[in-house]
Amino acid sequence: MLNVKDILNASYEKNQKIKKSFNLFILGLIILLFISVILSVSFGSLRIKPSVSYSIILNELFGLSLGDAAEVSNISTYNVIWLIRMPRVLLAIVVGAGLAVCGTIMQATVQNPLAEPYILGISSGASLGATFSIMLGLGSFSLFSISSVSFWAFLGALSASILVLVLSSMGNKMSSSKLVLSGTVVSALCTSLSNFIISIASNAEGMQTVKFWTMGSLATAKWQNIGFVILAVTICCLFFLTQGRTLNLMLMGDEASMTLGLNLNLYRKIYMIITSLLTGILVANCGIIGFVGLIIPHISRSIVGSDHKRLIPTSILLGSIFLIWADVFARIIIPNAELSIGIITGLVGAPFFVYILLRKGFGYGDK
């Protein structure tokens, strides 16, 4: 007959095996991310050997000289790899990680498996700000390497987020239902105003710019304008990596958290503010990229379960890898042309999400 000590030892050994398996899984994702970076900078209208790309990156980062010196020192190859494609790949990494972690936090915060980073009307607010800037010609300026369109897009996203938080806080305390409903109302309002501006402004070129911007693009990535995005995503990801216990309690509901003396309403507001600001920064820099913040948390949850201590790092890495390859396909699928990355994420994400929803035994919050 097993005693208490044997049961505890068996439980400890099981937890250690799970922890070891998870660590190996994360290591595999990191290796896959590294391989994806090398391959992604090699693909495009100009095909470059992955070994050459690898050598150029190592040379820039660590001063190591590997491979064929003639190919590595070729100025055209260097410009394509390091000055054009590498900033774009880094932006894809941080945007994918940022959207994935925002989607994970949103789904836990509002306790809704269909929640995504844009649920608070952030994308519509950003679209309104960008449309306002493009169609009405508010000038071309650059503030700390931030373009006028990005500035107005962020301002619109921030305004929409504040309006949603104010509406959902009116009356009784903030709730998940009020957040979703307020986001729907604000989103509809911003969309209507955007369409109104487009209707009264006779600017065909501006309409094409708005169309391309609202479908997302990483084409504007340059070394001088991605530093702030990388810093913001890194800080937010590190913060949410420490919030696993609180996020797990959110899945249990307010009643369970009250017995443990935790004010979930306060944490919910803090998480909403942080995710809103981060989503606004991402949308302002690369437009609206759909489905990443919706499907990546579900894929991660189906692999590692709903424990946010494992779910968040998995979502960060999978989101980065997914967006890297979505950008690659956006660049190479049509010769001598480029698709908006939002088209690729939508074409891949929609059927994959349907598959996840229909997959037998899958349910939100499953362990």
Side-chain angles (χ1 to χ4, degrees):
M1 185 175 180
L2 292 176
N3 54 33
V4 176
K5 184 177 180 180
D6 292 332
I7 294 174
L8 290 176
N9 286 336
S11 177
Y12 174 78
E13 291 177 0
K14 182 180 178 181
N15 288 334
Q16 287 299 108
K17 288 181 180 179
I18 293 174
K19 185 178 180 180
K20 184 178 180 181
S21 299
F22 175 71
N23 290 338
L24 289 174
F25 175 67
I26 291 297
L27 178 61
L29 287 181
I30 293 173
I31 293 172
L32 180 58
L33 177 61
F34 178 76
I35 294 172
S36 298
V37 170
I38 300 300
L39 294 178
S40 63
V41 296
S42 304
F43 294 147
S45 56
L46 174 63
R47 295 294 181 93
I48 299 169
K49 294 179 181 178
S51 59
V52 175
S53 302
Y54 177 69
S55 300
I56 290 175
I57 293 172
L58 280 185
N59 184 48
E60 284 296 320
L61 293 178
F62 306 110
L64 300 177
S65 299
L66 301 174
D68 189 340
E71 289 185 327
V72 173
S73 60
N74 185 289
I75 190 65
S76 299
T77 304
Y78 168 82
N79 288 338
V80 169
I81 295 294
W82 188 252
L83 299 182
I84 298 176
R85 293 180 184 171
M86 197 61 193
R88 183 167 179 154
V89 171
L90 286 178
L91 185 61
I93 291 173
V94 295
V95 170
L99 290 176
V101 77
C102 286
T104 303
I105 302 305
M106 284 289 185
Q107 289 174 8
T109 303
V110 304
Q111 297 177 349
N112 188 335
L114 296 179
E116 60 170 348
Y118 307 137
I119 195 171
L120 300 185
I122 297 172
S123 59
S124 299
S127 179
L128 174 60
T131 302
F132 193 73
S133 173
I134 295 169
M135 301 302 293
L136 300 184
L138 296 181
S140 177
F141 66 88
S142 179
L143 180 65
F144 302 111
S145 300
I146 301 173
S147 68
S148 59
V149 176
S150 297
F151 172 79
W152 282 100
F154 177 75
L155 195 62
L158 182 63
S159 302
S161 302
I162 293 173
L163 183 57
V164 169
L165 292 174
V166 169
L167 289 175
S168 59
S169 300
M170 293 176 65
N172 298 325
K173 67 177 183 177
M174 181 188 297
S175 66
S176 303
S177 300
K178 290 174 70 176
L179 277 168
V180 174
L181 291 173
S182 300
T184 302
V185 171
V186 172
S187 179
L189 176 62
C190 291
T191 301
S192 299
L193 290 174
S194 297
N195 292 334
F196 175 73
I197 292 173
I198 292 173
S199 299
I200 63 173
S202 56
N203 186 345
E205 183 180 350
M207 291 175 65
Q208 290 298 320
T209 304
V210 169
K211 180 182 177 182
F212 190 76
W213 189 90
T214 55
M215 290 188 291
S217 174
L218 303 175
T220 59
K222 293 181 178 61
W223 283 114
Q224 58 265 32
N225 63 11
I226 63 172
F228 178 70
V229 184
I230 293 174
L231 179 64
V233 172
T234 301
I235 292 174
C236 291
C237 287
L238 290 175
F239 170 74
F240 285 123
L241 284 171
T242 66
Q243 301 299 304
R245 178 175 174 271
T246 304
L247 291 165
N248 288 339
L249 286 174
M250 282 186 173
L251 298 181
M252 300 170 62
D254 290 355
E255 293 78 8
S257 65
M258 289 177 64
T259 61
L260 299 174
L262 188 67
N263 185 3
L264 280 190
N265 196 40
L266 174 62
Y267 280 97
R268 188 175 286 115
K269 288 181 179 179
I270 294 173
Y271 294 164
M272 283 292 178
I273 292 171
I274 294 174
T275 53
S276 298
L277 289 173
L278 181 57
T279 304
I281 291 171
L282 297 177
V283 172
N285 281 273
C286 59
I288 302 169
I289 302 175
F291 277 102
V292 179
L294 180 62
I295 64 170
I296 295 300
H298 283 287
I299 294 173
S300 303
R301 193 176 290 111
S302 67
I303 297 173
V304 300
S306 58
D307 183 354
H308 285 83
K309 294 179 181 178
R310 297 192 298 266
L311 180 60
I312 292 178
T314 303
S315 296
I316 289 172
L317 291 171
L318 284 180
S320 298
I321 294 169
F322 174 75
L323 204 62
I324 284 175
W325 286 105
D327 184 53
V328 169
F329 284 113
R331 287 191 277 120
I332 68 175
I333 198 168
I334 299 178
N336 302 319
E338 179 179 328
L339 282 176
S340 295
I341 193 171
I343 296 175
I344 304 297
T345 58
L347 289 174
V348 175
F352 201 87
F353 185 62
V354 171
Y355 163 75
I356 291 175
L357 289 178
L358 298 178
R359 194 165 72 91
K360 186 177 180 181
F362 175 80
Y364 178 69
D366 286 350
K367 300 291 182 186

